Amino acid sequence: MPLSPKVYTWLCGLFASLGSIIFGYDLGVIAGVTPAADFQRVMGSRWGNTNLQGLVVSIFGAFFGMIPVAYAADLLGRRHTIQLGAAIYIFGGALQTGAQNMDMMLAGRFFAGYGVGIMSDLAPLYQAEIAHPSIRGRLTTLQQFMLGIGAFVASWVTYGCSAGLTGQPSQWRVPLGIQIIPALPLITFMMLLPESPRWLAEKGRMEEAQATLARLHANGDSNDPFVIAQMRDIVADISRNKDIGTARYILQFSVQMTGVSAIQYYSTTMGFTSTRILLFQSINSIIALLGEAACVLWIDATGRRRPMIVGNVASGLSFVVGSILLARWPGTVNNTWVFNFFFSACIGPLSWAYPAEIYSTRTRAKATAITSSGSWISNFFIAQVTSPAFLNIGWKLLDLTYLDLVFAICGHTNALFIWAFYPETTGRRLEEMDALFENAPLFVPGTPYVSVGDHRAAERELREGTFRPGDLTEHAEKAPNDEESGKGSTEKVE
């Protein structure tokens, strides 16, 4: 019995997100290996320089990976570009594992980050381009869920090595070596997955695009009404050749300003012993997975706007409360769990999913490269300045309040900005996003553009042929409490 199309598409997106496991593992592993005595011995006297410490974790050259990924994804296709990122990452991981000095470690971090930048940008883009409209949120938020799995593995591996291999080179070389493993099947078997049908259509390979849509959504039947409707929608979108406007890099930048990178990279300096904080991180990784799983399960029903708003407010409040508790009872209270849950359930997954679905096919790869570069440049900034900041101010209530208030304020201003300016994209066809952003007002509260509506309506209209190619359907302009929401236009597209 063949798999249902949605299950098959889901599995394709799941395998493509192996790169996100790598991303999460590398984010999690660096905080666990840097406190190792042998690691610091190999790095030499230069390790005492807090700027270099920040550079080791922040050089993660993903920002530079954004420059070629924009062009490689459009030139080579989504699959080949993901393979390229995996190959570069393997080289960087090998350099880190065998590092004999600070320079080798810096080079390894750069190349690993370069590869991760490519894979993390392309995975949600590929997932968005192959997904059914009604499950696109679930598929694109797999990026953060798989990232959580990588961080989960990294936290327990580093905790186990710290507890059982203390003082030995294997305490840090084994965790760094394990990061290479997920990249091997990704680079080997990626070509077994279908190419993005939207990329094929953009390249003029219409027959291949239709065959790929049939493979993804109709068990290979190229004459299926859903497949034919999607092809007409894609062709109409390409023929208009419109851009939706300015690249929305602000969302990715704002995510880093919640303080997540400071917690990920420097939690071993936050008033706890290194072994104890590694245990905290391991527990934290479980909480993160629960939050990410909740997001994957519910995001297509809840919409994008509301979780991002709630998550940012909650993360901002957690910094206020956490700084007070940690200053009052240093070394005994860990309030990062609250932040971690809301970040993992709301902010992190949608920071990748939202940009991947709001652009047209012609600009999607380049635009998401810009949005991702916003994440990586802010990641670099936070990671680079946090180490000297902790060294200079310590965990003192009056001094630390300033640092935590920055993150707290950013969380609340992020929420305000999203509430004011971000239209809801849940359930809409990728090909109607241009019209959505053209028609939505700059200030969206109080308009129909903040509503989820019927998140299955667009898919139903494609199956019934009751949509207007490349334009907003009626369901996109109605509030969710409108009884007619989701029915769409009744005019057949000839």
Side-chain angles (χ1 to χ4, degrees), residues 312-396:
N312 273 287
V313 170
S315 68
L317 290 175
S318 72
F319 266 102
V320 174
V321 175
S323 63
I324 295 173
L325 293 177
L326 195 56
R328 178 64 180 84
W329 295 285
T332 61
V333 178
N334 184 358
N335 197 50
T336 62
W337 293 339
V338 176
F339 168 88
N340 192 39
F341 177 81
F342 281 98
F343 180 88
S344 301
C346 304
I347 305 171
L350 288 167
S351 70
W352 299 99
Y354 195 85
E357 66 184 3
I358 65 175
Y359 297 102
S360 62
T361 299
R362 180 153 296 183
T363 61
R364 188 171 295 117
K366 294 181 177 65
T368 55
I370 295 174
T371 65
S372 297
S373 69
S375 172
W376 295 118
I377 198 67
S378 54
N379 182 290
F380 176 89
F381 170 75
I382 293 297
Q384 189 65 33
V385 304
T386 303
S387 181
F390 283 175
L391 179 66
N392 292 328
I393 68 176
W395 286 98
K396 298 178 182 178

Coordinates of all heavy atoms in Angstrom, one line a residue, residues 312-396:
N312 N 7.6 36.0 22.6 CA 8.5 37.1 22.8 C 8.2 37.8 24.2 O 9.1 38.2 24.9 CB 8.4 38.2 21.7 CG 9.4 37.8 20.6 OD1 10.6 38.0 20.7 ND2 8.8 37.3 19.5
V313 N 6.9 38.0 24.5 CA 6.5 38.6 25.8 C 7.0 37.7 26.9 O 7.6 38.2 27.9 CB 5.0 38.8 25.9 CG1 4.6 39.2 27.3 CG2 4.6 39.9 24.9
A314 N 6.8 36.4 26.8 CA 7.2 35.4 27.9 C 8.7 35.4 28.0 O 9.2 35.3 29.2 CB 6.6 34.1 27.6
S315 N 9.4 35.4 26.9 CA 10.9 35.3 27.0 C 11.4 36.6 27.7 O 12.4 36.6 28.5 CB 11.5 35.1 25.6 OG 11.3 36.3 24.8
G316 N 10.8 37.8 27.4 CA 11.3 39.0 28.0 C 11.0 39.0 29.5 O 11.9 39.4 30.3
L317 N 9.9 38.5 29.9 CA 9.6 38.4 31.3 C 10.5 37.5 32.0 O 10.9 37.7 33.2 CB 8.1 38.0 31.5 CG 7.1 39.1 31.2 CD1 5.7 38.5 31.3 CD2 7.2 40.3 32.0
S318 N 10.9 36.4 31.4 CA 11.7 35.4 32.0 C 13.1 36.0 32.3 O 13.7 35.6 33.3 CB 11.9 34.1 31.1 OG 12.7 34.4 30.0
F319 N 13.6 36.9 31.5 CA 14.9 37.5 31.8 C 14.8 38.4 33.0 O 15.7 38.5 33.9 CB 15.4 38.3 30.6 CG 16.3 37.5 29.8 CD1 15.9 36.9 28.6 CD2 17.6 37.3 30.1 CE1 16.7 36.2 27.8 CE2 18.5 36.5 29.4 CZ 18.0 36.0 28.2
V320 N 13.7 39.1 33.2 CA 13.5 40.0 34.3 C 13.5 39.1 35.6 O 14.2 39.4 36.6 CB 12.2 40.8 34.2 CG1 12.0 41.6 35.5 CG2 12.3 41.7 33.0
V321 N 12.6 38.1 35.6 CA 12.5 37.3 36.8 C 13.8 36.5 37.1 O 14.3 36.4 38.2 CB 11.4 36.3 36.6 CG1 11.3 35.3 37.8 CG2 10.0 37.0 36.5
G322 N 14.4 35.9 36.0 CA 15.6 35.1 36.1 C 16.8 35.9 36.7 O 17.6 35.4 37.5
S323 N 17.0 37.1 36.3 CA 18.1 37.9 36.8 C 18.0 38.2 38.2 O 19.0 38.2 39.0 CB 18.3 39.2 35.9 OG 17.1 40.0 36.1
I324 N 16.8 38.5 38.7 CA 16.5 38.8 40.1 C 16.8 37.5 40.9 O 17.4 37.6 42.0 CB 15.1 39.3 40.3 CG1 14.9 40.6 39.6 CG2 14.8 39.4 41.8 CD1 13.5 41.1 39.6
L325 N 16.3 36.4 40.5 CA 16.5 35.1 41.2 C 17.9 34.7 41.3 O 18.4 34.3 42.4 CB 15.6 34.0 40.6 CG 14.1 34.1 40.7 CD1 13.4 33.0 39.9 CD2 13.6 34.2 42.1
L326 N 18.6 34.9 40.2 CA 20.0 34.4 40.1 C 20.9 35.4 41.0 O 21.9 34.9 41.6 CB 20.5 34.4 38.7 CG 21.8 33.6 38.5 CD1 21.7 32.2 39.0 CD2 22.1 33.6 37.0
A327 N 20.6 36.7 41.0 CA 21.3 37.6 41.8 C 21.1 37.4 43.3 O 22.0 37.5 44.1 CB 21.0 39.0 41.4
R328 N 19.8 37.0 43.6 CA 19.5 36.8 45.0 C 20.0 35.5 45.5 O 20.5 35.4 46.7 CB 17.9 36.8 45.2 CG 17.4 36.6 46.6 CD 17.9 37.7 47.5 NE 17.4 37.5 48.9 CZ 18.0 36.7 49.8 NH1 19.1 36.0 49.4 NH2 17.5 36.5 51.0
W329 N 19.9 34.4 44.7 CA 20.4 33.1 45.1 C 21.3 32.5 44.1 O 21.0 31.6 43.3 CB 19.2 32.1 45.3 CG 18.3 32.5 46.4 CD1 18.6 32.4 47.8 CD2 17.0 33.1 46.3 NE1 17.5 32.9 48.5 CE2 16.5 33.3 47.6 CE3 16.2 33.5 45.2 CZ2 15.3 33.9 47.9 CZ3 15.0 34.1 45.5 CH2 14.5 34.3 46.8
P330 N 22.5 33.1 43.9 CA 23.5 32.6 42.9 C 23.9 31.2 43.0 O 24.1 30.7 44.1 CB 24.7 33.6 43.0 CG 24.6 34.1 44.4 CD 23.1 34.1 44.8
G331 N 23.9 30.5 41.9 CA 24.3 29.1 41.9 C 23.2 28.1 42.3 O 23.5 26.9 42.4
T332 N 22.0 28.6 42.7 CA 21.0 27.7 43.2 C 19.7 27.7 42.4 O 18.9 26.8 42.5 CB 20.6 28.0 44.7 OG1 20.1 29.4 44.7 CG2 21.9 27.9 45.6
V333 N 19.5 28.7 41.5 CA 18.3 28.9 40.8 C 18.6 28.9 39.3 O 19.6 29.6 38.9 CB 17.6 30.2 41.2 CG1 16.3 30.4 40.3 CG2 17.3 30.2 42.7
N334 N 17.9 28.2 38.5 CA 18.0 28.2 37.0 C 16.7 28.5 36.4 O 15.8 27.6 36.3 CB 18.6 26.8 36.6 CG 18.9 26.9 35.0 OD1 18.6 27.9 34.4 ND2 19.4 25.8 34.5
N335 N 16.5 29.7 36.0 CA 15.2 30.1 35.4 C 15.2 30.1 33.9 O 14.3 30.5 33.3 CB 14.8 31.5 35.9 CG 13.4 31.8 35.7 OD1 12.5 31.1 36.1 ND2 13.1 33.0 35.1
T336 N 16.3 29.6 33.3 CA 16.4 29.5 31.8 C 15.4 28.5 31.3 O 15.1 28.6 30.1 CB 17.8 29.2 31.4 OG1 18.1 27.8 31.8 CG2 18.8 30.2 31.9
W337 N 14.9 27.6 32.1 CA 13.9 26.6 31.6 C 12.6 27.3 31.0 O 12.1 26.9 30.0 CB 13.6 25.6 32.7 CG 14.8 24.8 33.1 CD1 15.9 24.5 32.3 CD2 15.0 24.1 34.3 NE1 16.8 23.7 33.0 CE2 16.2 23.4 34.2 CE3 14.2 23.9 35.4 CZ2 16.7 22.6 35.2 CZ3 14.7 23.1 36.5 CH2 16.0 22.5 36.4
V338 N 12.2 28.3 31.7 CA 11.0 29.0 31.3 C 11.2 29.7 29.9 O 10.4 29.6 29.0 CB 10.5 30.1 32.3 CG1 9.3 30.9 31.8 CG2 10.2 29.4 33.7
F339 N 12.3 30.4 29.9 CA 12.7 31.0 28.6 C 12.8 30.0 27.5 O 12.3 30.2 26.4 CB 14.0 31.8 28.8 CG 14.6 32.2 27.4 CD1 14.3 33.5 26.9 CD2 15.5 31.4 26.7 CE1 14.8 33.9 25.7 CE2 16.0 31.8 25.5 CZ 15.7 33.0 25.0
N340 N 13.5 28.9 27.8 CA 13.7 27.9 26.8 C 12.5 27.3 26.2 O 12.3 27.1 25.0 CB 14.6 26.8 27.4 CG 15.1 25.8 26.3 OD1 15.5 26.2 25.3 ND2 15.2 24.5 26.7
F341 N 11.5 27.1 27.1 CA 10.2 26.5 26.6 C 9.5 27.4 25.6 O 9.1 27.0 24.5 CB 9.3 26.1 27.8 CG 8.0 25.6 27.3 CD1 7.8 24.3 26.9 CD2 6.9 26.4 27.2 CE1 6.6 23.7 26.5 CE2 5.6 25.9 26.7 CZ 5.5 24.6 26.4
F342 N 9.4 28.7 26.0 CA 8.6 29.6 25.2 C 9.4 29.9 23.9 O 8.8 30.1 22.8 CB 8.3 30.9 25.9 CG 7.2 30.8 26.8 CD1 7.3 30.5 28.2 CD2 5.9 30.9 26.3 CE1 6.2 30.4 29.0 CE2 4.8 30.7 27.2 CZ 5.0 30.4 28.5
F343 N 10.8 30.0 24.0 CA 11.5 30.2 22.8 C 11.4 29.0 21.8 O 11.2 29.2 20.6 CB 13.0 30.4 23.1 CG 13.9 30.6 21.9 CD1 14.1 31.9 21.4 CD2 14.5 29.5 21.2 CE1 14.9 32.1 20.3 CE2 15.2 29.7 20.1 CZ 15.4 31.0 19.6
S344 N 11.4 27.8 22.4 CA 11.4 26.6 21.5 C 10.0 26.4 21.0 O 9.8 25.8 19.9 CB 11.8 25.4 22.3 OG 13.1 25.6 22.8
A345 N 8.9 26.8 21.7 CA 7.6 26.5 21.2 C 7.1 27.6 20.3 O 6.1 27.4 19.5 CB 6.6 26.4 22.5
C346 N 7.6 28.8 20.4 CA 7.1 29.9 19.7 C 8.0 30.7 18.7 O 7.8 30.8 17.5 CB 6.5 30.9 20.7 SG 5.3 30.3 21.8
I347 N 9.2 31.1 19.3 CA 10.0 32.0 18.6 C 10.9 31.3 17.6 O 11.0 31.7 16.4 CB 10.8 32.9 19.6 CG1 9.9 33.6 20.6 CG2 11.7 33.9 18.8 CD1 10.7 34.2 21.7
G348 N 11.7 30.4 18.1 CA 12.7 29.7 17.3 C 12.2 29.1 16.0 O 12.7 29.4 14.9
P349 N 11.2 28.2 16.1 CA 10.6 27.6 14.9 C 10.1 28.6 13.8 O 10.3 28.4 12.6 CB 9.5 26.7 15.4 CG 9.8 26.5 16.8 CD 10.5 27.7 17.3
L350 N 9.4 29.6 14.3 CA 8.8 30.5 13.4 C 9.7 31.5 12.8 O 9.4 32.1 11.7 CB 7.6 31.2 14.1 CG 6.4 30.3 14.3 CD1 5.4 30.9 15.3 CD2 5.7 30.0 13.0
S351 N 10.9 31.7 13.4 CA 11.9 32.6 12.8 C 12.4 32.0 11.5 O 12.9 32.8 10.7 CB 13.0 32.8 13.8 OG 13.8 31.7 14.0
W352 N 12.3 30.7 11.3 CA 12.7 30.0 10.1 C 11.5 29.8 9.2 O 11.7 30.0 7.9 CB 13.4 28.7 10.4 CG 14.7 28.8 11.2 CD1 14.8 28.6 12.5 CD2 16.0 29.2 10.7 NE1 16.1 28.9 12.9 CE2 16.8 29.2 11.8 CE3 16.5 29.6 9.5 CZ2 18.2 29.5 11.7 CZ3 17.8 29.9 9.4 CH2 18.7 29.9 10.5
A353 N 10.4 29.5 9.7 CA 9.2 29.1 8.9 C 8.6 30.4 8.2 O 8.3 30.3 7.0 CB 8.2 28.5 9.8
Y354 N 8.5 31.5 8.9 CA 7.8 32.6 8.4 C 8.6 33.2 7.1 O 8.0 33.4 6.1 CB 7.7 33.7 9.4 CG 6.7 34.8 9.1 CD1 5.3 34.7 9.3 CD2 7.1 36.0 8.6 CE1 4.4 35.7 9.0 CE2 6.3 37.0 8.3 CZ 4.9 36.9 8.5 OH 4.0 37.9 8.2
P355 N 9.9 33.4 7.2 CA 10.6 34.0 6.1 C 10.6 33.0 4.9 O 10.6 33.4 3.7 CB 12.1 34.2 6.5 CG 11.9 34.3 8.0 CD 10.8 33.4 8.4
A356 N 10.6 31.7 5.1 CA 10.6 30.7 4.0 C 9.3 30.7 3.2 O 9.4 30.2 2.1 CB 10.9 29.3 4.6
E357 N 8.2 31.2 3.7 CA 7.0 31.1 3.0 C 6.4 32.5 2.5 O 5.4 32.5 1.8 CB 5.9 30.5 3.9 CG 5.5 31.3 5.1 CD 4.5 30.6 6.0 OE1 4.2 29.4 5.7 OE2 4.1 31.2 7.0
I358 N 7.1 33.6 2.7 CA 6.5 34.9 2.4 C 7.0 35.4 1.1 O 6.5 36.4 0.6 CB 6.7 35.9 3.5 CG1 8.1 36.2 3.7 CG2 6.0 35.4 4.8 CD1 8.4 37.4 4.7
Y359 N 8.0 34.8 0.4 CA 8.6 35.3 -0.8 C 8.1 34.5 -2.0 O 7.8 33.3 -1.9 CB 10.1 35.3 -0.7 CG 10.7 36.1 0.4 CD1 11.1 35.6 1.6 CD2 10.7 37.5 0.3 CE1 11.6 36.4 2.6 CE2 11.2 38.3 1.3 CZ 11.6 37.7 2.5 OH 12.1 38.5 3.5
S360 N 8.3 35.1 -3.2 CA 7.9 34.5 -4.4 C 9.1 33.5 -4.8 O 10.2 33.7 -4.3 CB 7.7 35.5 -5.5 OG 8.9 36.3 -5.8
T361 N 8.8 32.6 -5.7 CA 9.8 31.6 -6.1 C 11.1 32.2 -6.6 O 12.2 31.8 -6.3 CB 9.2 30.6 -7.1 OG1 8.1 30.0 -6.6 CG2 10.2 29.6 -7.6
R362 N 10.9 33.3 -7.4 CA 12.1 33.9 -8.1 C 13.0 34.5 -7.0 O 14.2 34.6 -7.3 CB 11.6 34.9 -9.1 CG 12.8 35.6 -9.8 CD 12.3 36.1 -11.2 NE 12.0 35.0 -12.0 CZ 11.6 35.1 -13.3 NH1 11.5 36.3 -13.9 NH2 11.3 34.0 -14.0
T363 N 12.5 35.0 -5.9 CA 13.3 35.7 -5.0 C 13.5 35.0 -3.7 O 14.3 35.4 -2.8 CB 12.7 37.1 -4.6 OG1 11.4 36.9 -4.0 CG2 12.5 38.0 -5.8
R364 N 12.9 33.8 -3.5 CA 12.9 33.1 -2.2 C 14.3 32.8 -1.7 O 14.6 33.0 -0.5 CB 12.0 31.9 -2.3 CG 11.8 31.2 -0.9 CD 10.8 30.1 -1.0 NE 9.5 30.6 -1.3 CZ 8.8 30.3 -2.4 NH1 9.3 29.5 -3.3 NH2 7.6 30.9 -2.7
A365 N 15.1 32.2 -2.5 CA 16.5 31.8 -2.1 C 17.3 33.0 -1.7 O 18.0 33.0 -0.6 CB 17.2 31.0 -3.2
K366 N 17.3 34.1 -2.5 CA 18.1 35.2 -2.1 C 17.5 36.0 -0.9 O 18.3 36.5 -0.1 CB 18.1 36.2 -3.4 CG 18.9 35.6 -4.6 CD 18.9 36.6 -5.7 CE 19.8 36.0 -6.9 NZ 19.2 34.8 -7.5
A367 N 16.2 36.0 -0.9 CA 15.6 36.8 0.3 C 15.8 36.0 1.6 O 16.1 36.7 2.6 CB 14.1 36.9 0.0
T368 N 15.7 34.7 1.6 CA 15.9 34.0 2.9 C 17.4 34.0 3.2 O 17.7 33.9 4.4 CB 15.4 32.5 2.8 OG1 16.0 31.9 1.6 CG2 13.9 32.5 2.6
A369 N 18.2 34.1 2.3 CA 19.7 34.3 2.6 C 19.9 35.6 3.4 O 20.7 35.7 4.3 CB 20.5 34.3 1.3
I370 N 19.2 36.6 3.0 CA 19.3 37.9 3.7 C 18.7 37.8 5.1 O 19.3 38.3 6.0 CB 18.6 39.0 2.9 CG1 19.3 39.3 1.5 CG2 18.6 40.3 3.7 CD1 18.6 40.2 0.6
T371 N 17.5 37.2 5.2 CA 16.9 37.1 6.5 C 17.8 36.2 7.4 O 18.0 36.6 8.6 CB 15.5 36.4 6.4 OG1 15.6 35.1 6.0 CG2 14.6 37.2 5.5
S372 N 18.4 35.2 6.9 CA 19.3 34.3 7.7 C 20.5 35.1 8.1 O 21.1 34.9 9.2 CB 19.6 33.0 7.0 OG 18.5 32.2 6.7
S373 N 21.0 35.9 7.2 CA 22.2 36.7 7.5 C 22.0 37.6 8.7 O 22.9 37.9 9.5 CB 22.7 37.5 6.3 OG 21.8 38.5 6.0
G374 N 20.7 38.1 8.8 CA 20.3 38.9 10.0 C 20.5 38.1 11.3 O 21.0 38.6 12.3
S375 N 20.1 36.8 11.2 CA 20.3 35.9 12.4 C 21.8 35.7 12.8 O 22.2 35.8 13.9 CB 19.6 34.6 12.1 OG 19.9 33.7 13.2
W376 N 22.6 35.5 11.7 CA 24.0 35.1 12.0 C 24.8 36.3 12.4 O 25.7 36.2 13.3 CB 24.6 34.5 10.8 CG 23.9 33.1 10.4 CD1 23.3 32.8 9.3 CD2 23.9 32.0 11.3 NE1 22.8 31.5 9.4 CE2 23.2 31.0 10.6 CE3 24.4 31.7 12.5 CZ2 23.0 29.7 11.1 CZ3 24.2 30.4 13.1 CH2 23.5 29.5 12.3
I377 N 24.5 37.5 11.9 CA 25.3 38.6 12.3 C 25.0 39.0 13.7 O 25.8 39.4 14.5 CB 25.1 39.8 11.3 CG1 26.2 40.9 11.5 CG2 23.7 40.5 11.5 CD1 27.6 40.4 11.1
S378 N 23.7 38.9 14.1 CA 23.3 39.2 15.5 C 23.8 38.1 16.4 O 24.2 38.4 17.6 CB 21.8 39.4 15.6 OG 21.1 38.2 15.1
N379 N 23.9 36.8 15.9 CA 24.4 35.7 16.7 C 25.9 36.0 17.0 O 26.4 35.9 18.1 CB 24.3 34.4 15.9 CG 24.8 33.2 16.6 OD1 26.0 33.1 16.8 ND2 23.9 32.3 17.0
F380 N 26.6 36.5 16.0 CA 28.0 36.8 16.2 C 28.2 38.0 17.2 O 29.0 37.9 18.1 CB 28.6 37.3 14.8 CG 30.0 37.8 14.9 CD1 31.1 36.9 14.7 CD2 30.3 39.1 15.1 CE1 32.4 37.4 14.8 CE2 31.6 39.6 15.2 CZ 32.7 38.7 15.1
F381 N 27.3 39.0 17.1 CA 27.4 40.1 18.0 C 27.2 39.7 19.5 O 28.0 40.0 20.3 CB 26.4 41.1 17.6 CG 26.2 42.3 18.6 CD1 27.1 43.3 18.7 CD2 25.1 42.3 19.4 CE1 27.0 44.3 19.7 CE2 24.9 43.3 20.3 CZ 25.8 44.3 20.5
I382 N 26.1 38.9 19.7 CA 25.8 38.5 21.0 C 26.9 37.6 21.6 O 27.3 37.7 22.7 CB 24.4 37.7 21.0 CG1 23.3 38.7 20.7 CG2 24.2 37.1 22.4 CD1 23.1 39.8 21.7
A383 N 27.3 36.6 20.8 CA 28.3 35.7 21.3 C 29.6 36.4 21.6 O 30.4 36.0 22.5 CB 28.5 34.5 20.3
Q384 N 30.0 37.4 20.8 CA 31.3 38.0 20.9 C 31.3 39.0 22.1 O 32.3 39.0 22.8 CB 31.6 38.8 19.6 CG 33.0 39.4 19.6 CD 34.0 38.3 19.5 OE1 33.8 37.3 18.9 NE2 35.2 38.6 20.1
V385 N 30.2 39.6 22.4 CA 30.2 40.6 23.5 C 29.9 40.0 24.8 O 30.2 40.6 25.9 CB 29.3 41.8 23.2 CG1 29.7 42.4 21.9 CG2 27.8 41.4 23.2
T386 N 29.2 38.9 24.9 CA 28.7 38.3 26.1 C 29.8 37.9 27.1 O 29.8 38.1 28.3 CB 27.7 37.2 25.9 OG1 26.7 37.6 25.1 CG2 27.1 36.7 27.2
S387 N 30.9 37.2 26.5 CA 31.9 36.7 27.3 C 32.6 37.8 28.1 O 32.8 37.8 29.3 CB 32.9 35.9 26.5 OG 34.0 35.4 27.3
P388 N 33.1 38.9 27.4 CA 33.7 40.0 28.2 C 32.7 40.7 29.1 O 33.1 41.2 30.2 CB 34.2 41.0 27.1 CG 33.8 40.5 25.8 CD 33.3 39.1 26.0
A389 N 31.5 40.7 28.7 CA 30.5 41.4 29.6 C 30.4 40.6 30.9 O 30.3 41.2 32.0 CB 29.1 41.4 28.9
F390 N 30.3 39.3 30.8 CA 30.2 38.5 32.0 C 31.4 38.6 32.9 O 31.4 38.6 34.1 CB 30.0 37.0 31.7 CG 28.6 36.7 31.2 CD1 28.2 35.4 30.8 CD2 27.6 37.6 31.3 CE1 27.0 35.1 30.4 CE2 26.3 37.3 30.9 CZ 26.0 36.1 30.4
L391 N 32.6 38.7 32.2 CA 33.8 38.8 33.0 C 33.9 40.1 33.7 O 34.4 40.2 34.9 CB 35.0 38.7 32.0 CG 36.4 38.9 32.6 CD1 36.7 37.7 33.5 CD2 37.5 39.0 31.5
N392 N 33.4 41.2 33.1 CA 33.5 42.5 33.7 C 32.5 42.8 34.7 O 32.7 43.5 35.7 CB 33.5 43.6 32.6 CG 34.7 43.5 31.7 OD1 35.8 43.2 32.2 ND2 34.5 43.8 30.4
I393 N 31.2 42.3 34.5 CA 30.2 42.7 35.4 C 29.8 41.6 36.4 O 29.2 41.9 37.5 CB 28.9 43.2 34.7 CG1 28.2 42.0 34.0 CG2 29.2 44.3 33.8 CD1 26.9 42.4 33.3
G394 N 30.1 40.3 36.0 CA 29.7 39.2 36.9 C 28.2 39.2 37.1 O 27.4 39.9 36.4
W395 N 27.7 38.3 38.0 CA 26.3 38.2 38.2 C 25.9 39.0 39.4 O 25.5 38.5 40.5 CB 25.9 36.7 38.4 CG 25.9 36.0 37.1 CD1 26.9 35.2 36.6 CD2 24.9 36.0 36.1 NE1 26.6 34.8 35.4 CE2 25.3 35.2 35.0 CE3 23.6 36.6 36.0 CZ2 24.6 35.0 33.9 CZ3 22.9 36.4 34.9 CH2 23.4 35.6 33.8
K396 N 26.1 40.3 39.3 CA 25.7 41.2 40.4 C 24.4 41.9 40.0 O 24.1 42.3 38.8 CB 26.8 42.3 40.6 CG 28.1 41.7 41.0 CD 29.2 42.8 41.1 CE 30.5 42.2 41.5 NZ 31.6 43.2 41.6

